[in-house]
Short mmCIF file of all heavy atoms in Angstrom, two decimals:
data_model
loop_
_atom_site.label_atom_id
_atom_site.label_comp_id
_atom_site.label_asym_id
_atom_site.label_seq_id
_atom_site.Cartn_x
_atom_site.Cartn_y
_atom_site.Cartn_z
N ARG A 398 105.83 107.38 103.61
CA ARG A 398 104.95 107.81 104.75
C ARG A 398 104.48 106.59 105.51
O ARG A 398 104.45 106.58 106.78
CB ARG A 398 103.76 108.60 104.19
CG ARG A 398 102.91 109.21 105.36
CD ARG A 398 101.70 109.90 104.76
NE ARG A 398 102.00 110.98 103.83
CZ ARG A 398 102.38 112.21 104.16
NH1 ARG A 398 102.36 112.53 105.43
NH2 ARG A 398 102.62 113.14 103.24
N GLN A 399 103.92 105.52 104.82
CA GLN A 399 103.52 104.37 105.47
C GLN A 399 104.63 103.67 106.31
O GLN A 399 104.37 103.29 107.46
CB GLN A 399 102.95 103.36 104.45
CG GLN A 399 101.61 103.84 103.83
CD GLN A 399 101.20 102.82 102.75
OE1 GLN A 399 101.86 102.74 101.70
NE2 GLN A 399 100.09 102.11 102.97
N ILE A 400 105.77 103.60 105.72
CA ILE A 400 106.92 102.95 106.34
C ILE A 400 107.34 103.78 107.58
O ILE A 400 107.54 103.15 108.69
CB ILE A 400 108.12 102.77 105.37
CG1 ILE A 400 107.71 101.79 104.31
CG2 ILE A 400 109.30 102.34 106.09
CD1 ILE A 400 108.73 101.66 103.19
N ILE A 401 107.48 105.05 107.43
CA ILE A 401 108.06 105.87 108.54
C ILE A 401 107.06 106.11 109.66
O ILE A 401 107.37 105.97 110.87
CB ILE A 401 108.62 107.20 108.01
CG1 ILE A 401 109.84 106.98 107.02
CG2 ILE A 401 108.98 108.12 109.17
CD1 ILE A 401 110.21 108.14 106.23
N PHE A 402 105.75 106.39 109.27
CA PHE A 402 104.85 106.75 110.26
C PHE A 402 103.91 105.61 110.77
O PHE A 402 103.59 105.60 111.98
CB PHE A 402 103.96 107.91 109.78
CG PHE A 402 104.75 109.23 109.60
CD1 PHE A 402 105.41 109.56 108.52
CD2 PHE A 402 104.75 110.08 110.72
CE1 PHE A 402 106.07 110.75 108.44
CE2 PHE A 402 105.41 111.27 110.62
CZ PHE A 402 106.15 111.61 109.48
N GLU A 403 103.51 104.74 109.89
CA GLU A 403 102.66 103.61 110.39
C GLU A 403 103.45 102.46 110.94
O GLU A 403 103.10 101.94 111.91
CB GLU A 403 101.82 103.19 109.14
CG GLU A 403 100.83 104.25 108.79
CD GLU A 403 99.91 103.84 107.55
OE1 GLU A 403 99.77 102.63 107.32
OE2 GLU A 403 99.48 104.73 106.86
N ILE A 404 104.53 102.06 110.22
CA ILE A 404 105.42 101.00 110.73
C ILE A 404 106.38 101.51 111.81
O ILE A 404 106.54 100.92 112.89
CB ILE A 404 106.11 100.28 109.53
CG1 ILE A 404 105.13 99.60 108.73
CG2 ILE A 404 107.13 99.34 110.04
CD1 ILE A 404 105.72 98.87 107.45
N GLY A 405 107.06 102.59 111.38
CA GLY A 405 108.03 103.14 112.35
C GLY A 405 107.55 104.02 113.47
O GLY A 405 108.31 104.36 114.40
N GLY A 406 106.26 104.41 113.42
CA GLY A 406 105.70 105.24 114.47
C GLY A 406 106.06 106.69 114.44
O GLY A 406 105.76 107.37 115.38
N GLY A 407 106.61 107.09 113.37
CA GLY A 407 106.97 108.52 113.19
C GLY A 407 108.14 109.01 114.02
O GLY A 407 108.90 108.18 114.60
N THR A 408 108.25 110.29 114.22
CA THR A 408 109.42 110.87 114.94
C THR A 408 108.80 111.58 116.21
O THR A 408 107.71 112.01 116.16
CB THR A 408 110.16 111.86 114.07
OG1 THR A 408 109.21 112.81 113.48
CG2 THR A 408 110.83 111.10 112.87
N GLU A 409 109.66 111.72 117.16
CA GLU A 409 109.28 112.50 118.44
C GLU A 409 109.11 114.00 118.03
O GLU A 409 108.04 114.57 118.43
CB GLU A 409 110.33 112.37 119.46
CG GLU A 409 110.52 110.93 120.09
CD GLU A 409 109.38 110.56 121.00
OE1 GLU A 409 108.59 111.50 121.36
OE2 GLU A 409 109.21 109.40 121.33
N LYS A 410 110.01 114.56 117.36
CA LYS A 410 109.94 115.95 116.91
C LYS A 410 109.51 115.92 115.38
O LYS A 410 109.59 114.94 114.81
CB LYS A 410 111.31 116.61 117.11
CG LYS A 410 111.64 116.81 118.57
CD LYS A 410 112.93 117.64 118.83
CE LYS A 410 113.14 117.83 120.31
NZ LYS A 410 114.37 118.70 120.44
N PRO A 411 109.17 117.02 114.82
CA PRO A 411 108.64 117.06 113.44
C PRO A 411 109.60 116.34 112.46
O PRO A 411 110.84 116.63 112.60
CB PRO A 411 108.39 118.51 113.19
CG PRO A 411 108.12 119.11 114.48
CD PRO A 411 109.06 118.35 115.47
N PHE A 412 109.04 115.66 111.59
CA PHE A 412 109.87 114.94 110.54
C PHE A 412 110.52 116.02 109.65
O PHE A 412 109.84 117.01 109.30
CB PHE A 412 108.96 114.00 109.73
CG PHE A 412 109.62 113.49 108.51
CD1 PHE A 412 110.31 112.33 108.55
CD2 PHE A 412 109.41 114.08 107.20
CE1 PHE A 412 111.03 111.81 107.42
CE2 PHE A 412 110.12 113.62 106.15
CZ PHE A 412 110.88 112.45 106.19
N LYS A 413 111.74 115.70 109.22
CA LYS A 413 112.45 116.54 108.38
C LYS A 413 112.88 115.92 107.01
O LYS A 413 112.57 116.47 105.97
CB LYS A 413 113.73 117.08 109.08
CG LYS A 413 114.48 118.16 108.21
CD LYS A 413 115.63 118.74 109.07
CE LYS A 413 116.25 119.94 108.36
NZ LYS A 413 117.28 120.51 109.23
N ALA A 414 113.53 114.69 107.09
CA ALA A 414 113.94 114.14 105.89
C ALA A 414 114.26 112.57 106.15
O ALA A 414 114.29 112.11 107.23
CB ALA A 414 115.15 114.81 105.31
N VAL A 415 114.39 111.92 104.99
CA VAL A 415 114.85 110.45 105.14
C VAL A 415 115.89 110.22 104.07
O VAL A 415 115.77 110.72 102.91
CB VAL A 415 113.66 109.53 105.02
CG1 VAL A 415 112.90 109.69 103.59
CG2 VAL A 415 114.15 108.07 105.09
N GLN A 416 117.01 109.67 104.44
CA GLN A 416 118.12 109.27 103.50
C GLN A 416 117.79 107.83 103.06
O GLN A 416 117.81 106.87 103.95
CB GLN A 416 119.48 109.40 104.14
CG GLN A 416 120.63 109.03 103.36
CD GLN A 416 121.07 110.06 102.37
OE1 GLN A 416 120.62 111.24 102.50
NE2 GLN A 416 121.94 109.78 101.39
N THR A 417 117.59 107.64 101.74
CA THR A 417 117.36 106.29 101.26
C THR A 417 118.55 105.89 100.48
O THR A 417 119.20 106.63 99.85
CB THR A 417 116.10 106.19 100.35
OG1 THR A 417 116.40 106.70 99.09
CG2 THR A 417 114.96 106.77 100.98
N GLY A 418 118.84 104.55 100.50
CA GLY A 418 120.03 104.05 99.71
C GLY A 418 121.37 104.25 100.22
O GLY A 418 122.36 104.10 99.45
N GLY A 419 121.49 104.57 101.48
CA GLY A 419 122.82 104.67 102.09
C GLY A 419 123.61 105.97 101.65
O GLY A 419 123.02 106.93 101.11
N PRO A 420 124.91 105.93 101.72
CA PRO A 420 125.71 107.13 101.42
C PRO A 420 125.52 107.53 99.95
O PRO A 420 125.64 108.71 99.63
CB PRO A 420 127.20 106.66 101.64
CG PRO A 420 127.10 105.43 102.46
CD PRO A 420 125.80 104.81 102.13
N SER A 421 125.23 106.62 99.05
CA SER A 421 125.05 106.86 97.62
C SER A 421 123.62 107.28 97.28
O SER A 421 123.25 107.48 96.16
CB SER A 421 125.50 105.73 96.83
OG SER A 421 126.80 105.41 97.13
N GLY A 422 122.71 107.33 98.30
CA GLY A 422 121.34 107.60 98.05
C GLY A 422 121.05 109.09 98.12
O GLY A 422 121.97 109.91 97.90
N GLY A 423 119.83 109.33 98.41
CA GLY A 423 119.37 110.75 98.39
C GLY A 423 118.60 111.08 99.69
O GLY A 423 118.04 110.25 100.38
N CYS A 424 118.64 112.45 99.94
CA CYS A 424 117.93 112.98 101.10
C CYS A 424 116.60 113.54 100.65
O CYS A 424 116.60 114.51 99.92
CB CYS A 424 118.84 114.07 101.71
SG CYS A 424 118.12 114.85 103.22
N LEU A 425 115.55 112.90 101.06
CA LEU A 425 114.24 113.25 100.62
C LEU A 425 113.44 113.91 101.73
O LEU A 425 113.33 113.43 102.85
CB LEU A 425 113.44 111.95 100.15
CG LEU A 425 114.14 111.15 98.98
CD1 LEU A 425 113.32 109.91 98.66
CD2 LEU A 425 114.39 112.00 97.83
N SER A 426 112.86 115.05 101.40
CA SER A 426 112.08 115.83 102.35
C SER A 426 110.61 115.40 102.41
O SER A 426 110.19 114.46 101.82
CB SER A 426 112.07 117.36 101.96
OG SER A 426 111.37 117.49 100.69
N SER A 427 109.79 116.14 103.28
CA SER A 427 108.45 115.76 103.52
C SER A 427 107.61 115.75 102.26
O SER A 427 106.59 115.01 102.16
CB SER A 427 107.77 116.63 104.57
OG SER A 427 107.96 118.00 104.16
N GLU A 428 107.97 116.53 101.19
CA GLU A 428 107.18 116.59 100.01
C GLU A 428 107.28 115.25 99.29
O GLU A 428 106.47 115.01 98.34
CB GLU A 428 107.63 117.69 99.09
CG GLU A 428 109.05 117.49 98.55
CD GLU A 428 109.45 118.59 97.56
OE1 GLU A 428 108.82 118.71 96.52
OE2 GLU A 428 110.43 119.42 97.93
N HIS A 429 108.23 114.39 99.65
CA HIS A 429 108.33 113.06 98.96
C HIS A 429 107.86 111.96 99.79
O HIS A 429 108.09 110.74 99.43
CB HIS A 429 109.85 112.86 98.65
CG HIS A 429 110.39 113.83 97.67
ND1 HIS A 429 111.54 114.68 97.95
CD2 HIS A 429 110.13 114.13 96.38
CE1 HIS A 429 111.74 115.50 96.94
NE2 HIS A 429 110.95 115.20 95.95
#
Side-chain angles (χ1 to χ4, degrees):
R398 186 184 304 277
Q399 288 174 294
I400 292 173
I401 295 168
F402 288 90
E403 295 178 22
I404 293 177
T408 53
E409 293 286 349
K410 294 187 177 180
F412 170 85
K413 185 173 190 177
V415 58
Q416 178 83 11
T417 75
S421 302
C424 181
L425 303 180
S426 65
S427 56
E428 68 176 292
H429 296 120

